[in-house]
Amino acid sequence: MITFLSGGTGTPKLIQGFREILSDKDIAVIANSADDIWLYGLYISPDIDTILYLFSGLLDGEKYWGINNDTFQTLDFLKRYNEDIWFNLGDKDLALHLFRTKKLRRGEKLSLIIDQVAKQLGISAKIFPSSEKHIETRIVTKEGDDIHFQEFWVKHRGNVSIDKVYIKGIEEAIVPSGVLETLDESEIVIIGPSNPITSISPIVEIDQIRRWFQKNKEKCIAISPVVGGSPLSGPTAELMKAEDRESTALGVAQMYKTLCSCFIIDNQDKGRTSEIEQQTGLMVEAQDIIFKDIDVAKNLANYILQRGNVV
Ligand code: FO1
């Protein structure tokens, strides 16, 4: 079993490379649930849904969220009732939201709902939300507003000066049953190339999960989401700066040094290998990690599996 910590688009792209080599039943994903938000009366779980749609073949492969060829007529019509529409849910995507919200309102556990959706969509990979209980990433702006990550990223297009970032509810987060057992069973655990502040921290800052990583760092490996000072996608640079962290592979390695034993950087950053090793104590290896096509992801997957003696 290979387990991924995932959020956003970087790790899902890497997972596609692994799927070229491994069978889905040998893959598990712990998806960030701190991007989750209540909107339009619905419970939305973007990072979890991207993984559900990826494994079921439904994912929009351009945007890397939502369903391929979906339409947005329902939300367009909702605007007629003066609803403030800034987060786009496709017509087909709405079905999953109606299903999940109904079940959550009945008191069912998020992880069991995800499990049921995965089965109905014919998925054999294991997919877990990072927390059973709602947690959310919040951004405090320099003007003093306290907004949800999705408002920062989608509503304001990231054009907000960030004072600080925090994860609301992280102390009360509940690790779904099966997560720690799956981590134990895994030959390799991969911290994917996702945003370290808004995708990975909300998973590894959950007490039980952080302690698991600290005890098992030998089989854990992280992939840098930053190449030569630029993040592979999303608002990583601004968020890292707000946390007083350098937005470079070294800055990310500093965050992960107690959680894994190996850190993979891009070949463009190869010259910084020994500096990162000396400053973090991690084993640093350079590979191509910009997933411009599936072959790059597949090559990296092969490299990781071979170095872990899995294939
Ligand atoms: N991202 C956008 O930039 N605009 C949207 O309207 C939007 C809608 C949306 C609906 C469902 C979903 O699962 C994801 C959606 N995303 C949208 C992506 C999402 O905001 C973020 O990219 C992730 O949360 C980052 O991990």
Side-chain angles (χ1 to χ4, degrees), residues 8 35 46-47 65 86-89 93 149-150 153-154 157:
D35 278 15
D47 287 347
W65 56 264
W86 54 269
F87 197 80
N88 300 298
L89 292 179
D93 192 16
F149 169 71
Q150 299 294 353
W153 181 234
V154 178
R157 306 258 153 241

Side-chain angles (χ1 to χ4, degrees), residues 10-300:
T11 307
K13 286 181 182 164
L14 174 62
I15 292 173
Q16 288 294 50
F18 277 84
R19 293 183 74 212
E20 296 277 308
I21 306 164
L22 298 176
S23 134
D24 285 353
K25 67 173 176 28
D26 296 323
I27 299 177
V29 182
I30 303 168
N32 168 39
S33 62
D35 278 15
D36 291 14
I37 185 168
W38 281 96
L39 271 181
Y40 322 129
L42 298 170
Y43 192 74
I44 306 171
S45 299
D47 287 347
I48 298 164
D49 293 357
T50 293
I51 296 298
L52 287 169
Y53 290 149
L54 178 134
F55 279 100
S56 57
L58 292 168
L59 184 66
D60 180 321
E62 287 292 313
K63 300 197 301 274
Y64 255 72
W65 56 264
I67 294 184
N68 204 18
N69 291 325
D70 211 350
T71 49
F72 293 85
Q73 294 188 36
T74 310
L75 277 217
D76 275 348
F77 217 87
L78 199 53
K79 284 183 193 149
R80 293 205 184 180
Y81 305 112
N82 288 333
E83 279 281 314
D84 179 19
I85 306 294
W86 54 269
F87 197 80
N88 300 298
L89 292 179
D91 296 320
K92 290 181 191 164
D93 192 16
L94 273 170
L96 170 51
H97 290 89
L98 292 171
F99 182 78
R100 175 171 43 222
T101 307
K102 179 187 79 177
K103 286 183 162 280
L104 279 176
R105 286 195 197 281
R106 281 186 189 160
E108 292 184 35
K109 283 184 176 169
L110 182 61
S111 66
L112 296 182
I113 303 170
I114 303 302
D115 209 40
Q116 195 181 343
V117 172
K119 287 205 174 78
Q120 305 285 12
L121 293 176
I123 297 171
S124 53
K126 283 190 191 176
I127 301 172
F128 298 100
S130 52
S131 172
E132 207 71 91
K133 217 170 157 186
H134 180 75
I135 57 174
E136 63 182 47
T137 300
R138 311 268 322 167
I139 311 280
V140 180
T141 70
K142 291 227 166 97
E143 291 73 38
D145 295 322
D146 184 332
I147 58 177
H148 191 286
F149 169 71
Q150 299 294 353
E151 287 180 280
F152 158 75
W153 181 234
V154 178
K155 191 174 189 178
H156 301 296
R157 306 258 153 241
N159 293 320
V160 159
S161 50
I162 309 166
D163 181 31
K164 67 171 193 182
V165 186
Y166 70 100
I167 306 154
K168 191 173 168 188
I170 189 90
E171 292 81 12
E172 290 83 42
I174 296 173
V175 178
S177 80
V179 165
L180 297 174
E181 294 79 353
T182 300
L183 287 168
D184 281 339
E185 281 165 22
S186 301
E187 283 124 303
I188 307 174
V189 175
I190 298 173
I191 301 180
S194 297
N195 187 320
I197 309 283
T198 57
S199 295
I200 303 299
S201 285
I203 309 177
V204 296
E205 280 184 22
I206 297 173
D207 208 38
Q208 274 183 305
I209 296 191
R210 188 186 50 250
R211 279 191 272 120
W212 185 91
F213 272 86
Q214 287 166 343
K215 274 197 222 121
N216 295 276
K217 58 190 278 193
E218 275 324 304
K219 68 174 179 181
C220 302
I221 167 168
I223 322 295
S224 177
V226 181
V227 173
S230 307
L232 296 175
S233 62
T236 303
E238 298 80 351
L239 291 161
M240 291 206 48
K241 266 182 225 134
E243 295 280 279
D244 287 328
R245 296 196 177 269
E246 198 186 288
S247 164
T248 60
L250 173 62
V252 180
Q254 299 277 22
M255 290 180 70
Y256 295 162
K257 65 185 175 197
T258 61
L259 308 173
C260 58
S261 54
C262 173
F263 187 65
I264 298 189
I265 58 172
D266 190 72
N267 276 322
Q268 289 178 44
D269 288 327
K270 201 173 184 162
R272 299 196 71 184
T273 303
S274 47
E275 179 199 359
I276 302 173
E277 285 190 332
Q278 276 158 22
Q279 295 211 25
T280 62
L282 290 165
M283 191 186 305
V284 177
E285 297 172 11
Q287 291 292 310
D288 285 335
I289 61 168
I290 303 176
F291 308 130
K292 55 183 189 308
D293 56 48
I294 183 81
D295 285 340
V296 180
K298 186 179 172 186
N299 289 342
L300 181 58

